[in-house]
Every structure is written in C-alpha cells, then in structure tokens.
Amino acid sequence: MTPEEQPGLAHEVALLELVDRVLNKGVVLTGDITLSVAGVDLVYVGLRVLLASVSTLEQLQDGDGAPRQLESAGRR
Amino acid sequence: MIYLYAILDEPVHLPPLPGLEDATVETREADGLTVAVSEHQAQPDLSNDAVLRHAQVVEALSQAGAAILPARLGVAFADEAALRDAVAARQAELSAALERVRGCAEIGLRVLSPEAREQAKGAVGGGEYMRARLRQATHRERLAEALHDALRTHARDSTQRAHAGGRLLLDAAYLVPHAGVDAFAREVRKLEQSHPELALVCTGPWPPYSFAPAAEAAP
C-alpha cells in the first residue's frame, strides 16, 4: 500500500489524506495514554508534497478537461 | 496495555483482523458502547506501518455496518478498567457523535487557487498594492464561503480548517449520507466546471475521522 506499489498521483494524494486523518483527526479520550508518534514530521512534509503536486493535477485536468475523481487509499 | 482503534454503537462480527504489530483486534463492551482494541505487552511502535494498519482496521470496522468513531493513532490505556472509565466519562458525548455519523461517510475537499501573488502583480505603489491585496483576500474568503455553502447543503455536518492560506483556499470535510455521495460528487463536478481556475481535490469516502470528538471538546 505504499506509493511505490501503487504509483500515480491520485494514490499519493489519497495516502497523504489518509495519514493526515489518522494522525490529526479521530477520537481522543480523556485519561488515556497518548503514545508518541515518532514519524509525525513526515506528515507535514507529506502535506507540503501534496500542495506542490497540485500543479501536476491541474496539468492533468487541462490535458483532457475531464474532472478527476480521486479514489481513497486503503480501500479494497 | 490496551490500544484503541475505534468506538462503535454495537458489536460487529469481525473476521480475524491483524492490528498493530499483528496483535488480534477484538471488540469489547464498554458502558453500553463497543470498543475495538488490541492487547500489547509494551507500547506498540508507531511507525508508518502502524499508520496503515490502524487505518485498515478502522476501514474494516466501518464496512461492518455499525456507526463508528475512529480513534486517532496512538490512543492507548494501561488496562481495560482505564479504558472503561474514559468511555464512561464521555458516554453521552460519544453516543451523540455516533448518532450523528450513523449511515454517513466523510468526504474530504481541498481547494487550491492560482498563485495569490500573481493577481496583485500589476499594482504599482504601496497603497494600491495593499488595496489590491485586501480586495483579493476578501474575494478569496467569499469564494471559499460560496463553495463551502454549496457543498454543505449535501452534508449532515461539515468542518472547515482555519489554516487555509496561500494557494489553499478551502480545507474542509463533509459528513455525507451514503445515499447522497453521488449527488455530492455531482455538485463537486459542477463547481469544478463553474470555477475552471480552481483545483478541487476531493477524496473519500473515508470513515468519519473528522467528526469524532477530540479531547479538547470535553467539558
């Protein structure tokens, strides 16, 4: 499920969106132990990559004028 | 140590599902709700693999049909009693959140505009430049609001992250009933066509990560 295994910008974007959700969203209960996330820096690096990638997305869109629907990573 | 993947409104039948570090994921009752957890001898290592494993477990649980609140990565408890106490302390809030997300998926949207600086380039002189920047900022705000409003009518709930800036015009998540996902996607395509200068990056459907209460919401 790494970008290497599923090449393509849509998958990369979906993977970054997934990582953003898992690390930054979701239930946190009071009184729990929050384990430290060693790779947290990677996410912010990743989101910058996402923003940088959008010019490529735009070129893709300009190419055939068709709207792109992104599939989520980690599904089936 | 007990590691939390999600909170559900009812027990679900799970196929054998490997969790973090290949520990078995199981569901247990906690104060009338169901928690999906795995047991660990020591703190599980939160590597890139853990991120994907956590996401896969949440995805499998969300396919099982119950209303689900995904946990953030890294939420763990010393033992089951500590987990039960934490759930009991926020039972009402969690139940209400489960009711809200029932039957819905999350759709993410980031909207990117052309480079902001480009539009103010023609201005000469400091005052004119500042006025141009201000007009531009107001225009961006209104545009983001209009896009958000159009999509919000298709959603049961929505969140908008305030950090939008630079090329990022809108960073939002929408809680969309399963039956309404196609209509939502059509609305996105419509907005894409009426705003060809913008890039709409739409992802999903996701489990409702953005609509699960975080600790800060606790009283």
Side-chain angles (χ1 to χ4, degrees):
Chain A
M1 212 67 68
T2 63
E4 286 76 23
E5 286 159 6
Q6 294 186 314
L9 182 61
H11 283 111
E12 247 172 75
V13 169
L15 184 61
L16 291 168
E17 289 281 329
L18 176 82
V19 172
D20 182 35
R21 279 176 172 72
V22 172
L23 289 191
N24 300 321
K25 312 283 178 63
V27 163
V28 182
L29 295 171
T30 36
D32 57 4
I33 304 161
T34 305
L35 307 179
S36 67
V37 180
V40 78
D41 289 346
L42 291 174
V43 178
Y44 295 103
V45 171
L47 284 174
R48 280 201 291 274
V49 171
L50 166 66
L51 297 183
S53 305
V54 168
S55 58
T56 318
L57 273 181
E58 284 171 333
Q59 283 162 18
L60 286 174
Q61 281 182 322
D62 290 344
D64 57 13
R68 299 272 158 173
Q69 188 98 37
L70 300 179
E71 292 163 30
S72 64
R75 290 181 71 88
R76 282 177 285 273
Chain B
M1 172 164 286
I2 196 158
Y3 181 85
L4 179 70
Y5 298 88
I7 298 170
L8 304 111
D9 65 336
E10 57 185 21
V12 291
H13 180 72
L14 278 182
L17 195 59
L20 264 55
E21 300 183 336
D22 289 330
T24 306
V25 177
E26 44 192 309
T27 56
R28 295 179 190 176
E29 191 271 341
D31 211 54
L33 301 176
T34 297
V35 290
V37 297
S38 59
E39 298 248 24
H40 298 265
Q41 292 300 317
Q43 291 200 354
D45 181 28
L46 297 186
S47 59
N48 290 351
D49 284 349
V51 172
L52 290 181
R53 197 53 78 80
H54 180 100
Q56 281 163 357
V57 170
V58 169
E59 181 69 32
L61 289 165
S62 73
Q63 306 260 325
I68 184 171
L69 298 175
R72 193 174 298 194
L73 184 78
V75 174
F77 299 83
D79 52 32
E80 194 165 334
L83 170 56
R84 285 173 186 282
D85 286 351
V87 171
R90 298 177 68 194
Q91 209 276 349
E93 187 192 354
L94 294 169
S95 297
L98 281 164
E99 207 44 58
R100 190 165 63 240
V101 302
R102 186 189 306 282
C104 288
E106 173 177 336
I107 308 285
L109 181 73
R110 290 178 203 261
V111 178
L112 289 109
S113 64
E115 198 64 64
R117 260 167 283 137
E118 295 291 316
Q119 296 164 20
K121 224 197 259 169
V124 285
E128 194 182 329
Y129 175 79
M130 287 312 291
R131 279 191 295 278
R133 285 296 299 267
L134 190 63
R135 273 199 303 277
Q136 194 182 306
T138 313
H139 171 71
R140 284 169 58 86
E141 241 168 65
R142 285 196 190 138
L143 185 54
E145 218 175 276
L147 295 169
H148 190 52
D149 284 348
L151 290 168
R152 227 164 21 172
T153 60
H154 296 271
R156 188 179 295 175
D157 200 358
S158 64
T159 65
Q160 199 182 342
R161 270 201 264 185
H163 72 227
R167 297 197 58 202
L168 189 59
L169 193 69
L170 178 64
D171 181 2
Y174 302 88
L175 187 65
V176 181
H178 291 302
V181 169
D182 287 348
F184 186 91
R186 278 198 298 277
E187 184 70 45
V188 170
R189 282 195 287 274
K190 219 171 86 188
L191 293 171
E192 258 178 339
Q193 279 156 13
S194 53
H195 300 280
E197 77 285 9
L198 302 176
L200 278 71
V201 183
C202 188
T203 58
W206 304 103
Y209 283 96
S210 302
F211 300 92
E216 303 83 69

